Amino acid sequence: MRVSTLTQGPGPRTNGGALLYFAYTALIDPDRMAAVSPDATFEFIAHLSDWGLSFPIEGNGWAGDLPSAVQEPGSIVWGVVFSVPDADRPKVEAAEFAEGRTPRELDAIDRTGQRHAITAYVADPSTANSGEPSRSYVAIMLNGSRHWRLPAGWIVSLEDHLGSEF
C-alpha cells in the first residue's frame, strides 16, 4: 500500500530520504491517508511509550473534540509508521495543522521492540485538558486501527470512547 505525506525539512528519515510519520489520528485510516498522500508507504506498526490519548483540541467542525498524544507515564499510544516523500509532506502537515497538531520528533517502538526516530503530530501541551471526544472522528481512528490490526487493548480503548451503542 502506498500513501504520501510531508515538506522538506527536519524530521527522522528513511535511508531513501522520506520522512517517517507516525499516524494515530484520522490519517491512520488507509483511505484517509491515501486521499491526503497517495505516495506514502506503510512501514510498520509501533507505539509511543509513556504517551496517552487525550482530546484537548476544539473540534473545528467535528461534533466533539479531537485527539492528541500527551505525555502520560505508563500509557501507550498505538499507530502506524509511513514513509512520506518530501514532495507529499505539505499535504500531511496541512491536515495535521488544520486539526491543531504540530510536529514533534519522538521514538516509536515497533512490535519487535526496536526503537525508531519518527515524527508525530501533537497538540500544544498547554492544552492538556481532555474534552468530550468527537465520536465520528474516533470511529475513523477505530476503522484504521482495525485495518492495521493494532492490539486488542487499543481497539477496546477507542471503542470505549464511542460508548455502548457502537
Side-chain angles (χ1 to χ4, degrees), residues 3-8 21 27 32-40 84-99 121:
V3 186
S4 166
T5 30
L6 306 157
T7 281
Q8 270 301 52
Y21 165 70
L27 292 182
R32 288 187 72 84
M33 186 63 167
V36 171
S37 180
D39 293 325
V84 178
D86 281 342
D88 295 331
R89 188 172 176 182
K91 297 176 210 166
V92 170
E93 287 181 346
E96 290 284 6
F97 290 164
E99 292 183 359
Y121 284 74

Side-chain angles (χ1 to χ4, degrees), residues 137-147 155 158-159 162 166:
Y137 195 98
V138 172
I140 294 167
M141 293 171 62
L142 181 59
N143 183 60
S145 295
R146 285 179 175 153
H147 172 85
I155 300 292
L158 292 175
E159 290 172 341
L162 295 175
F166 194 80

